[in-house]
Amino acid sequence: MRTDNKQPDETDEQEPIEILQPMNDKQNGCIGCEGLPPTSYVQQDMEPDKKFTLTLTEGDVYLGKGVLYSGFTIDDKIPGPTLIVRQNEIVEIEVVNTGKIPHGMSIHAAYTQTSKYVGQIGAGETKSVKFKATYPGVYMYHCAPGGHAIPMHTLFGQYGMLVVLPDDGYELEKRGEKPDVELYLIQHEMYKTGKDAITGDPLYVLFNGQLFRYVEDPIKVRPGDKVRIYFLNVGPNIISTLHIVGVVWDHVYWQGHPDNVFVGGQTVLAGPSDSWVIDFRIPEDEGNYLLVTHAFGSATRGAIGVFSASYDHEEVDNVILADGPTYTEEELTEFRELAERIISPYEPTDIDEPYIITPEQQKATVEIIGNSFYPKVLKVPVGTEVEWINEDIFTYAEGEFAGIHDVAVTSGPEMFASPLLGHGEKFSYTFTEVGEYEYICVPHPYMKGKVIVYDPAENSSSQQSGFNIWYALPLAVVGMIVLPIIIRKFRN
Amino acid sequence: MRTDNKQPDETDEQEPIEILQPMNDKQNGCIGCEGLPPTSYVQQDMEPDKKFTLTLTEGDVYLGKGVLYSGFTIDDKIPGPTLIVRQNEIVEIEVVNTGKIPHGMSIHAAYTQTSKYVGQIGAGETKSVKFKATYPGVYMYHCAPGGHAIPMHTLFGQYGMLVVLPDDGYELEKRGEKPDVELYLIQHEMYKTGKDAITGDPLYVLFNGQLFRYVEDPIKVRPGDKVRIYFLNVGPNIISTLHIVGVVWDHVYWQGHPDNVFVGGQTVLAGPSDSWVIDFRIPEDEGNYLLVTHAFGSATRGAIGVFSASYDHEEVDNVILADGPTYTEEELTEFRELAERIISPYEPTDIDEPYIITPEQQKATVEIIGNSFYPKVLKVPVGTEVEWINEDIFTYAEGEFAGIHDVAVTSGPEMFASPLLGHGEKFSYTFTEVGEYEYICVPHPYMKGKVIVYDPAENSSSQQSGFNIWYALPLAVVGMIVLPIIIRKFRN
Amino acid sequence: MRTDNKQPDETDEQEPIEILQPMNDKQNGCIGCEGLPPTSYVQQDMEPDKKFTLTLTEGDVYLGKGVLYSGFTIDDKIPGPTLIVRQNEIVEIEVVNTGKIPHGMSIHAAYTQTSKYVGQIGAGETKSVKFKATYPGVYMYHCAPGGHAIPMHTLFGQYGMLVVLPDDGYELEKRGEKPDVELYLIQHEMYKTGKDAITGDPLYVLFNGQLFRYVEDPIKVRPGDKVRIYFLNVGPNIISTLHIVGVVWDHVYWQGHPDNVFVGGQTVLAGPSDSWVIDFRIPEDEGNYLLVTHAFGSATRGAIGVFSASYDHEEVDNVILADGPTYTEEELTEFRELAERIISPYEPTDIDEPYIITPEQQKATVEIIGNSFYPKVLKVPVGTEVEWINEDIFTYAEGEFAGIHDVAVTSGPEMFASPLLGHGEKFSYTFTEVGEYEYICVPHPYMKGKVIVYDPAENSSSQQSGFNIWYALPLAVVGMIVLPIIIRKFRN
């Protein structure tokens, strides 16, 4: 991320100004908003108060605990950078796509058209949009190239937080105070298959990009500190009820707008893309105050942290951003080498063991769902007919923007490719050659699958199980019938 | 649906007036409601300001994308008709059951006894209830025949929206304005098995009854338009966080009551049967504004729509109802013939491929759950003992109203029937005859299952896998032993 | 539970006073809370206004419908006792651990350090904490021994409700009235495996500890009664949208704080540990008013109740607590003997049928997740290599407090034990002896699993399926070849 507080004469990197559609005579005013703040609409040639550049691509991040994640990133992080602006500032978001596929941007703080400016950005392209941050709050931004790719890229990791600080602050500021510690906190889910991403069954649930990040590195506070959490549940599927053991909220603000204030409470409930501003004090007594989602399945999956309260903490971090951790390329290389497990929603990794079809099971099906194959690795006896069925549904566009898929072998004893499959459409192929078949979906070439075709005869002979009975019994039978004949013969 | 704004002398279709239980002396007044609006209680012989007739039955609807759904409907639609009344109107809901099983009605806007009037309506019966709509809001109504059937009929498709418009309107009306476009919007889930309905794993998530309905037919608006969404998340299991790309809410009203107002925000969180009124403006800039649940697994399942904003849209639909699409019987017949897939929670369709038990697996179990068999189609080797276990729990009533089930063969080589099974109870049957067995649950005759009993010997001979070894090896063995004998014999 | 309203001179059972960390000069005052209520901090030597003793252990409870649950309990109940205090009372919670493993306590009403006082209580220990209930509301308390054990013990059943009644009451009290019936209501989930507990797939969803408790024993009310529900959704995973058929709320209070008031509405949405105070009237008309979570999958799992309204109900229970049912040891013994099913998240019971691996499947994996083995019972052919993989993640502590597990055989033909496994780590063992192997996790000895090793030769001979072909065919072949020889021989 690059943050520029530019003066008008520093705009040499400015994108060519977009020609807007003709507007009516209130074009820079506020249409139909008597009594309401204006929308975020500004002419795209205005000078921004703040400019951010976000770089979208595909890549790996390290989640901690020996786990590497291969997905989609913003500024090489998951979550992407935390963007902070003040109410009524004019904000420019420049979006750079350094990836191999289209990306784009949805900016929830922008109450104006963004899709046509930054919604769809081809590989290698840079686009930009400007808006006025008229409504304070805690907002999500995320990749949104259009259609089916909007949920999929978000599910794969491209999101972050943008906070619009209110001009007059919250109750705390109205009392003439300010927070001692500000934690920008994102809860988000990581999936090991595209199917899990669709059904909402995450493998990990993280705070700010790392498993148990604030258990490993507790947030230092002092009794009496006033703490504010800018909380965004990215999801993208599961609710969070954020809670701190030993704390009752003083004030919480739904979506971070200062007018939506509640008093007290043990939790805040947040669905995907819901947000809260949470104000509380560290109580007078030292000790650990545990931060947790009270949806406890998610807590065991990684969403626990610690506020460590001590009078001895002379220095504390006053601002903790929601950005995921960043690593040097050397560190990432090391993580890749040493990773105990690599996960990815759309390609086989070491944790995707083959799903084995036995000869008796007679059939094999691969679901195509959530821009991935399920199972990602299938092992079938030679001669098996494998059926692929497309369970993705959004089919109004093409390429990356649609849930239209195919199956195209990239290496293997036999090469084949299916036609493009719409929702519910099937393709079958009977594997007659033993070997490993690697395949992709051509419109989404990061989607990878494998079929391992085995010879069950060879397979069974390598097993220790009691198959010998099949050989032994006929032999015994033959022996019982033939041997007397032979014996009799030789007696003759 | 039939909507009548009747005059007193037009009430010839009036149901016989129900005799109420004796009431205390405040019977048409307001008991214990000092400072509160009255409940919805009215004598059942009062004249209604508005009368609606809802017809409940079992049947098919078309979901788009080549998918036909076989379930339960209201006015042959899913969702049923959108009912709109004004605060303090007396409303009559007449419920007609044209189906083969009992249905009924729960009306969330009615703050009065409804269960004993319309809660349980036998096949062919018509019943009616009257109430005064004293609390404004956006409400769900749904089939509710009693007990276990209340959640099940709702999960199978019988629901709709009833809006009680507030006398004084919302903030917009208090400013002397009104919405340019009013969208009544239901998000709802469709299940392919009863088990999925219980565990909350929908196959599709729809806006107003059709997959990506407002992608196929975008909602036309003009920049500056004031738009109101009456939003009801029917569920019946999954949360929704409704969001529009490029929009921040101006005002949202929890449950649609004008006193429960929030300012700003990017999403509204709605659990099953939660509702919101959402007021916003279409920003000044033309383009597409995407409507989506930010629970992104659901978005990929069908819950994406588009507001298409253009200054050129001279005519727009001012009111868009939440009713599911309706089709002529001819159209439905065509859909049935051309459907790429038919789904149903409680009976096998083309997408319910047999679950195959191999001889080695030794056992087969069918769960009875959510008024359906799971798996719906089971294929077992001859001689297999199949066990059914009832995982439904509500067992206080009987017939349609309880989760008490049985297994009764309706066609097949052998006929058998189980006793009625309570929660956790099991029934086993050993299939000794090859063939197809179709069975139902007698108390819920729409519940259908199938067992296909196969001969594994025949089955294996049709496979290409390495089974020939079983024949080849003994032959080889026999040959090795016998042939020398024969040869020697002939040499003799 | 023991509730004492003690006078100062009655404190003979008082725990030794904890020596607090040195505090600053505002130590009994309110640090940084201008304009806010004080936190709950009090010196631990103060006299409590109310004292409660909670006893934590492992044990069985009866869920109704023939189901016994083996898990973790408070005061031998699930949920534990309902604790009710008034705002600004000083409360002491004494926690007794009579179990075999560490337990502890998190008390959401306490806005002060509790973890270091009662967070970790060894087997046989008793600890205590005092706090001032400064914020009114409806709160959860639950076992919280630290780290991984916090979510796990809660998921296994150790939780209850603590209500802090507001000094000035709610709107009802401000109008000079009071509720006729007060229902303290907990919705909570029961799991049959630890894996289900992590993924949030409950077998049962209960109101106050029993399946359909208030269907079996309806809550008696009279038309006109003012009813208050103190509602806590314990979860620990699933949302609830509480609804009553025939009722619109008058006022609801988010988290039970009187300042967070909403008007009207058909539902309240509550994530895990979310709470509401709900005020409504029983309408004028007699009949049944159904209480239900409108997340209807959960409703079928047990979360339905009934308010039975009649003018004839002269006596009603004015206060209904959220405590789970209690039974005498004799009753429990009888339930154990007669139980149709016993469930437990962490040990095999009668409903955990073996997961069978056939020789053709070639491999077997046991996930260790949610302090349990999945599948709990595995049946494999002799010679199979079984792999255990630890999918629990929290590994910062040890023993009960961490998700670090191992596999240690306690009985079986061969004895073996794995090393301790961190997240994602694996252990494999090849079973070469037929028989039953029972094993545990040493750091969590209640975690139990079983491997049944079978001889597939013996296994197959006991099957009725068409295996005889394997014998018949060679016989036929042999016969076809040998018989002519024999015949010819005898003809000679």
Side-chain angles (χ1 to χ4, degrees):
Chain A
M1 182 185 63
R2 197 183 61 221
T3 307
D4 302 332
N5 291 294
K6 292 194 177 189
Q7 298 304 316
D9 53 339
E10 299 172 347
T11 56
D12 46 351
E13 291 172 67
Q14 191 82 21
E15 281 286 287
I17 291 163
E18 298 260 358
I19 304 305
L20 282 179
Q21 300 294 325
M23 300 286 295
N24 68 12
D25 59 356
K26 295 189 183 181
Q27 60 185 4
N28 272 315
C30 175
I31 300 174
C33 67
E34 294 76 11
L36 293 174
T39 68
S40 298
Y41 173 75
V42 293
Q43 290 282 19
Q44 293 295 304
D45 56 359
M46 288 189 73
E47 277 311 306
D49 297 303
K50 286 226 176 76
K51 179 177 175 178
F52 303 98
T53 299
L54 299 173
T55 302
L56 280 64
T57 193
E58 311 89 46
D60 300 341
V61 294
Y62 180 66
L63 305 184
K65 311 292 292 175
V67 182
L68 198 81
Y69 173 78
S70 193
F72 294 175
T73 61
I74 299 180
D75 285 13
D76 300 320
K77 297 185 263 198
I78 300 175
T82 309
L83 313 181
I84 304 168
V85 306
R86 299 207 65 84
Q87 191 177 352
N88 292 319
E89 282 186 325
I90 294 174
V91 180
E92 178 174 3
I93 308 270
E94 186 183 60
V95 188
V96 182
N97 179 356
T98 62
K100 295 177 184 160
I101 59 171
H103 291 289
M105 190 55 58
S106 168
I107 305 153
H108 291 193
Y111 190 171
T112 188
Q113 181 58 225
T114 56
S115 302
K116 74 180 178 190
Y117 299 107
V118 291
Q120 194 168 308
I121 301 170
E125 282 188 332
T126 296
K127 289 187 178 179
S128 177
V129 71
K130 290 176 194 143
F131 66 96
K132 189 173 179 181
T134 53
Y135 273 85
V138 175
Y139 296 97
M140 182 169 170
Y141 68 80
H142 60 93
C143 187
H148 183 70
I150 299 175
M152 292 319 307
H153 287 215
T154 306
L155 287 159
F156 291 169
Q158 288 181 311
Y159 39 74
M161 183 194 288
L162 191 162
V163 175
V164 180
L165 297 172
D167 259 350
D168 301 327
Y170 299 93
E171 296 298 317
L172 196 64
E173 285 81 358
K174 289 170 189 167
R175 292 200 309 270
E177 302 179 78
K178 65 180 186 54
D180 299 295
V181 173
E182 294 179 281
L183 170 63
Y184 295 80
L185 183 68
I186 284 178
Q187 179 177 320
H188 58 118
E189 302 148 13
M190 307 303 278
Y191 295 95
K192 74 175 169 190
T193 70
K195 178 166 187 166
D196 290 341
I198 301 308
T199 58
D201 184 14
L203 184 62
Y204 301 116
V205 182
L206 311 180
F207 287 151
N208 291 354
Q210 192 181 318
L211 289 161
F212 302 111
R213 180 170 186 174
Y214 303 113
V215 172
E216 296 202 351
D217 185 15
I219 299 164
K220 288 182 188 168
V221 290
R222 297 148 302 201
D225 272 354
K226 290 174 282 292
V227 180
R228 174 169 296 159
I229 302 179
Y230 301 89
F231 179 54
L232 169 68
N233 179 23
V234 154
N237 277 303
I238 306 255
I239 55 113
S240 172
T241 44
L242 198 73
H243 169 73
I244 298 174
V245 177
V247 169
V248 177
W249 315 133
D250 289 322
H251 291 110
V252 296
Y253 303 86
W254 181 74
Q255 302 265 345
H257 193 290
D259 289 357
N260 303 326
V261 60
F262 294 86
V263 178
Q266 65 209 293
T267 40
V268 287
L269 173 60
S273 188
D274 278 340
S275 64
W276 294 83
V277 162
I278 303 167
D279 273 2
F280 64 98
R281 291 159 280 164
I282 301 298
E284 289 82 340
D285 203 353
E286 295 176 307
N288 281 342
Y289 293 84
L290 211 77
L291 174 75
V292 69
T293 171
H294 231 282
F296 267 171
S298 299
T300 71
R301 305 277 86 196
I304 298 181
V306 171
F307 286 94
S308 165
S310 168
Y311 287 101
D312 298 335
H313 288 154
E314 296 188 1
E315 294 230 345
V316 302
D317 291 330
N318 298 112
V319 174
I320 297 158
L321 297 180
D323 305 38
T326 48
Y327 299 97
T328 63
E329 193 50 49
E330 290 71 37
E331 288 171 319
L332 263 184
T333 302
E334 196 179 324
F335 287 137
R336 275 186 206 105
E337 282 164 10
L338 300 178
E340 290 187 30
R341 47 169 48 181
I342 298 172
I343 67 164
S344 173
Y346 48 71
E347 61 184 359
T349 71
D350 58 339
I351 68 163
D352 297 293
E353 297 199 13
Y355 184 87
I356 300 172
I357 300 293
T358 68
E360 292 74 14
Q361 284 171 302
Q362 304 166 24
K363 68 158 196 173
T365 303
V366 177
E367 275 182 89
I368 311 177
I369 181 167
N371 283 12
S372 74
F373 300 103
Y374 187 88
K376 286 189 262 184
V377 185
L378 184 72
K379 186 171 174 181
V380 300
V382 66
T384 301
E385 186 178 22
V386 176
E387 182 180 271
W388 283 262
I389 178 165
N390 183 9
E391 291 288 351
D392 278 337
I393 311 173
F394 190 99
T395 52
Y396 302 97
E398 56 181 18
E400 184 61 24
F401 313 113
I404 300 169
H405 300 290
D406 65 10
V407 174
V409 172
T410 53
S411 79
E414 295 175 313
M415 303 298 280
F416 64 86
S418 80
L420 288 171
L421 304 173
H423 175 55
E425 292 181 347
K426 299 172 182 178
F427 169 74
S428 287
Y429 185 79
T430 300
F431 287 88
T432 57
E433 293 285 330
V434 166
E436 291 200 7
Y437 298 73
E438 297 190 338
Y439 64 93
I440 63 167
C441 166
V442 174
H444 310 85
Y446 51 86
M447 288 174 59
K448 290 178 184 160
K450 189 191 281 191
V451 177
I452 302 167
V453 180
Y454 69 98
D455 179 344
E458 287 183 15
N459 200 64
S460 58
S461 66
S462 68
Q463 287 189 276
Q464 310 90 330
S465 52
F467 269 117
N468 294 334
I469 194 152
W470 305 122
Y471 307 90
L473 260 175
L475 274 173
V477 166
V478 166
M480 277 158 55
I481 298 173
V482 175
L483 276 183
I485 302 173
I486 296 172
I487 290 163
R488 186 175 299 181
K489 170 83 191 159
F490 282 91
R491 277 188 181 160
N492 281 358
Chain B
M1 182 186 62
R2 198 183 61 221
T3 307
D4 300 334
N5 292 294
K6 290 195 176 189
Q7 296 306 314
D9 53 339
E10 300 173 345
T11 57
D12 47 352
E13 292 172 65
Q14 191 82 23
E15 281 286 287
I17 291 164
E18 298 260 359
I19 305 302
L20 282 181
Q21 301 293 325
M23 299 289 293
N24 67 12
D25 59 356
K26 295 190 182 179
Q27 60 184 5
N28 273 316
C30 175
I31 300 174
C33 68
E34 294 76 8
L36 293 174
T39 68
S40 297
Y41 173 74
V42 292
Q43 290 283 16
Q44 292 295 304
D45 56 358
M46 289 189 72
E47 276 311 308
D49 297 303
K50 289 228 176 72
K51 179 177 175 179
F52 303 99
T53 299
L54 299 174
T55 302
L56 280 64
T57 193
E58 311 89 47
D60 300 341
V61 295
Y62 180 65
L63 305 184
K65 312 292 293 177
V67 182
L68 199 79
Y69 173 77
S70 194
F72 295 175
T73 61
I74 299 180
D75 285 14
D76 301 321
K77 296 185 264 200
I78 300 176
T82 310
L83 313 181
I84 304 167
V85 305
R86 298 207 64 84
Q87 191 177 353
N88 293 318
E89 283 185 325
I90 293 173
V91 181
E92 178 174 4
I93 309 270
E94 186 182 63
V95 187
V96 182
N97 180 355
T98 62
K100 295 175 184 162
I101 59 172
H103 291 289
M105 190 54 60
S106 167
I107 305 153
H108 290 193
Y111 189 170
T112 188
Q113 181 57 226
T114 57
S115 302
K116 74 181 180 191
Y117 299 107
V118 293
Q120 194 169 307
I121 302 170
E125 283 188 332
T126 296
K127 290 187 176 177
S128 177
V129 70
K130 290 175 193 142
F131 67 96
K132 189 173 178 182
T134 53
Y135 273 85
V138 175
Y139 296 98
M140 183 170 171
Y141 67 81
H142 60 94
C143 188
H148 183 71
I150 300 175
M152 292 320 307
H153 286 214
T154 307
L155 287 159
F156 290 170
Q158 288 180 311
Y159 40 75
M161 183 193 289
L162 190 162
V163 175
V164 180
L165 297 172
D167 258 352
D168 301 327
Y170 299 92
E171 297 297 317
L172 196 65
E173 285 81 358
K174 289 171 188 166
R175 293 199 308 270
E177 303 179 77
K178 65 179 186 55
D180 299 294
V181 172
E182 292 178 281
L183 170 63
Y184 296 79
L185 183 69
I186 285 178
Q187 180 177 320
H188 58 119
E189 302 148 13
M190 307 303 276
Y191 294 95
K192 73 175 169 188
T193 71
K195 177 165 187 166
D196 290 342
I198 302 308
T199 58
D201 184 16
L203 185 61
Y204 301 117
V205 182
L206 311 179
F207 287 152
N208 292 350
Q210 192 181 319
L211 288 161
F212 301 111
R213 181 170 185 174
Y214 303 112
V215 173
E216 295 202 351
D217 186 14
I219 298 164
K220 287 181 188 169
V221 290
R222 296 148 303 203
D225 272 354
K226 290 173 283 291
V227 181
R228 174 169 296 160
I229 302 179
Y230 301 89
F231 178 54
L232 169 68
N233 179 23
V234 154
N237 277 303
I238 305 255
I239 55 114
S240 171
T241 43
L242 198 73
H243 169 74
I244 299 174
V245 178
V247 169
V248 177
W249 315 134
D250 288 324
H251 291 109
V252 297
Y253 303 86
W254 181 74
Q255 300 267 344
H257 193 291
D259 289 357
N260 304 325
V261 61
F262 294 85
V263 178
Q266 64 209 294
T267 41
V268 287
L269 172 61
S273 189
D274 278 339
S275 64
W276 294 84
V277 162
I278 302 166
D279 273 2
F280 64 97
R281 291 159 280 165
I282 301 298
E284 289 83 341
D285 203 353
E286 294 177 308
N288 281 343
Y289 294 84
L290 211 78
L291 174 73
V292 69
T293 171
H294 231 281
F296 268 170
S298 298
T300 71
R301 304 277 86 196
I304 298 180
V306 172
F307 286 95
S308 165
S310 167
Y311 287 101
D312 298 335
H313 288 155
E314 296 187 0
E315 295 231 342
V316 300
D317 291 329
N318 298 112
V319 174
I320 297 157
L321 297 179
D323 304 38
T326 48
Y327 299 98
T328 64
E329 193 50 49
E330 291 71 37
E331 288 171 319
L332 262 184
T333 303
E334 197 179 323
F335 286 137
R336 274 186 207 106
E337 283 164 9
L338 299 179
E340 290 186 32
R341 46 168 49 180
I342 299 172
I343 66 165
S344 173
Y346 48 71
E347 62 184 358
T349 71
D350 58 341
I351 68 162
D352 298 294
E353 297 198 14
Y355 184 87
I356 300 173
I357 299 292
T358 68
E360 292 76 15
Q361 284 172 304
Q362 306 167 21
K363 67 160 199 169
T365 302
V366 177
E367 275 182 87
I368 312 176
I369 181 166
N371 283 12
S372 75
F373 300 102
Y374 187 89
K376 286 189 263 183
V377 185
L378 184 72
K379 187 171 175 182
V380 300
V382 66
T384 300
E385 186 179 21
V386 176
E387 182 181 88
W388 284 263
I389 179 165
N390 183 9
E391 290 288 352
D392 278 338
I393 311 173
F394 190 98
T395 53
Y396 302 97
E398 56 181 19
E400 183 62 22
F401 312 113
I404 300 170
H405 301 290
D406 65 9
V407 174
V409 172
T410 53
S411 79
E414 295 175 313
M415 304 297 280
F416 64 87
S418 79
L420 289 171
L421 304 174
H423 175 56
E425 292 182 348
K426 300 172 181 177
F427 169 75
S428 286
Y429 185 81
T430 300
F431 287 89
T432 57
E433 293 285 329
V434 166
E436 291 201 7
Y437 297 73
E438 296 190 338
Y439 64 92
I440 63 167
C441 166
V442 174
H444 310 85
Y446 50 86
M447 286 173 61
K448 290 177 184 161
K450 188 190 282 192
V451 177
I452 302 167
V453 179
Y454 70 98
D455 179 344
E458 286 183 14
N459 199 64
S460 60
S461 67
S462 68
Q463 286 190 277
Q464 309 92 330
S465 51
F467 270 116
N468 294 334
I469 194 154
W470 305 122
Y471 305 93
L473 261 175
L475 274 174
V477 167
V478 166
M480 277 158 54
I481 297 173
V482 175
L483 277 183
I485 301 173
I486 297 172
I487 290 164
R488 188 175 299 183
K489 169 82 191 160
F490 282 92
R491 278 193 182 157
N492 282 356
Chain C
M1 183 185 63
R2 198 183 61 217
T3 307
D4 301 333
N5 291 294
K6 292 195 176 186
Q7 297 305 314
D9 53 340
E10 299 172 348
T11 56
D12 46 353
E13 292 172 65
Q14 191 82 22
E15 281 287 287
I17 292 163
E18 298 259 357
I19 305 304
L20 283 180
Q21 301 294 326
M23 299 287 293
N24 67 11
D25 59 356
K26 294 190 182 179
Q27 61 184 4
N28 272 315
C30 175
I31 300 174
C33 67
E34 294 76 8
L36 293 173
T39 69
S40 296
Y41 173 75
V42 293
Q43 290 282 18
Q44 292 295 304
D45 56 358
M46 288 189 75
E47 276 312 306
D49 297 302
K50 288 226 177 73
K51 178 177 174 179
F52 303 99
T53 299
L54 300 173
T55 302
L56 280 65
T57 192
E58 310 89 48
D60 300 342
V61 295
Y62 181 65
L63 305 185
K65 311 293 292 178
V67 182
L68 198 79
Y69 173 77
S70 194
F72 295 174
T73 62
I74 298 180
D75 285 13
D76 300 321
K77 297 185 264 199
I78 301 175
T82 310
L83 313 182
I84 303 168
V85 306
R86 298 207 65 84
Q87 190 176 353
N88 292 319
E89 283 185 326
I90 294 174
V91 181
E92 178 174 3
I93 309 269
E94 186 183 62
V95 187
V96 182
N97 180 355
T98 62
K100 295 177 185 160
I101 58 171
H103 290 290
M105 190 54 60
S106 167
I107 305 152
H108 290 192
Y111 190 169
T112 188
Q113 180 59 227
T114 57
S115 302
K116 72 180 179 192
Y117 299 107
V118 292
Q120 194 168 308
I121 302 171
E125 284 188 330
T126 295
K127 290 187 177 178
S128 177
V129 71
K130 290 176 193 141
F131 66 94
K132 189 173 179 183
T134 52
Y135 273 85
V138 176
Y139 296 98
M140 183 170 171
Y141 67 81
H142 60 92
C143 187
H148 184 71
I150 299 174
M152 292 320 307
H153 287 215
T154 307
L155 287 159
F156 290 170
Q158 289 180 310
Y159 40 74
M161 182 194 288
L162 190 162
V163 176
V164 180
L165 297 172
D167 259 351
D168 301 326
Y170 299 94
E171 296 297 317
L172 197 64
E173 285 81 358
K174 289 171 188 167
R175 292 200 309 270
E177 302 179 78
K178 65 180 186 57
D180 298 295
V181 172
E182 293 178 279
L183 170 63
Y184 296 79
L185 183 69
I186 285 177
Q187 179 176 319
H188 58 118
E189 303 148 12
M190 306 303 277
Y191 295 94
K192 74 174 169 190
T193 69
K195 178 166 186 166
D196 291 342
I198 301 308
T199 58
D201 184 16
L203 184 62
Y204 300 117
V205 182
L206 311 179
F207 287 152
N208 292 352
Q210 192 180 318
L211 289 162
F212 302 111
R213 180 170 186 174
Y214 304 111
V215 173
E216 296 201 351
D217 185 15
I219 298 163
K220 287 182 188 169
V221 290
R222 297 149 302 203
D225 272 354
K226 291 172 283 291
V227 180
R228 174 169 296 159
I229 302 179
Y230 301 90
F231 178 55
L232 169 69
N233 179 24
V234 154
N237 277 304
I238 306 256
I239 56 113
S240 171
T241 43
L242 199 74
H243 169 74
I244 298 174
V245 178
V247 168
V248 177
W249 315 133
D250 288 324
H251 291 110
V252 296
Y253 303 86
W254 182 75
Q255 301 266 345
H257 193 290
D259 289 358
N260 303 325
V261 60
F262 294 86
V263 178
Q266 65 209 294
T267 40
V268 287
L269 172 60
S273 188
D274 278 340
S275 65
W276 293 83
V277 162
I278 303 166
D279 274 1
F280 64 98
R281 292 158 280 164
I282 301 298
E284 289 83 341
D285 203 351
E286 294 176 309
N288 282 343
Y289 293 84
L290 212 77
L291 173 75
V292 70
T293 171
H294 231 280
F296 267 172
S298 299
T300 71
R301 304 276 87 194
I304 298 180
V306 172
F307 286 94
S308 165
S310 168
Y311 288 101
D312 299 335
H313 289 155
E314 297 188 1
E315 294 229 346
V316 301
D317 291 329
N318 298 111
V319 174
I320 297 158
L321 297 180
D323 304 39
T326 48
Y327 300 98
T328 63
E329 193 50 48
E330 291 71 38
E331 288 172 318
L332 262 184
T333 303
E334 197 180 322
F335 286 137
R336 276 186 205 106
E337 282 162 8
L338 300 178
E340 291 187 31
R341 48 166 51 179
I342 298 172
I343 66 164
S344 174
Y346 48 71
E347 62 184 357
T349 72
D350 59 338
I351 67 164
D352 297 293
E353 298 199 14
Y355 184 87
I356 299 173
I357 300 293
T358 68
E360 292 75 15
Q361 284 172 302
Q362 305 167 23
K363 67 157 199 172
T365 302
V366 177
E367 274 183 89
I368 312 176
I369 180 167
N371 283 11
S372 75
F373 299 102
Y374 187 89
K376 286 190 261 183
V377 186
L378 184 72
K379 187 171 174 181
V380 300
V382 66
T384 301
E385 186 179 23
V386 176
E387 181 179 272
W388 283 262
I389 179 166
N390 183 9
E391 291 288 352
D392 277 338
I393 311 173
F394 189 99
T395 52
Y396 302 97
E398 56 182 18
E400 184 61 24
F401 313 112
I404 300 170
H405 301 290
D406 65 9
V407 174
V409 172
T410 54
S411 80
E414 295 175 312
M415 304 298 279
F416 63 86
S418 79
L420 288 171
L421 303 174
H423 175 57
E425 291 181 349
K426 300 172 180 178
F427 169 74
S428 287
Y429 185 80
T430 300
F431 287 88
T432 58
E433 293 285 329
V434 166
E436 291 199 9
Y437 298 73
E438 297 190 339
Y439 63 93
I440 63 167
C441 165
V442 174
H444 309 85
Y446 50 87
M447 287 173 60
K448 290 178 185 161
K450 188 190 282 191
V451 177
I452 302 167
V453 179
Y454 70 98
D455 179 344
E458 287 182 15
N459 198 65
S460 59
S461 66
S462 68
Q463 285 189 278
Q464 312 91 329
S465 52
F467 271 117
N468 294 334
I469 193 144
W470 306 121
Y471 306 91
L473 260 175
L475 274 175
V477 166
V478 167
M480 278 159 53
I481 297 173
V482 175
L483 277 183
I485 300 173
I486 296 172
I487 291 163
R488 187 176 300 183
K489 170 85 191 158
F490 283 92
R491 278 191 180 158
N492 278 358

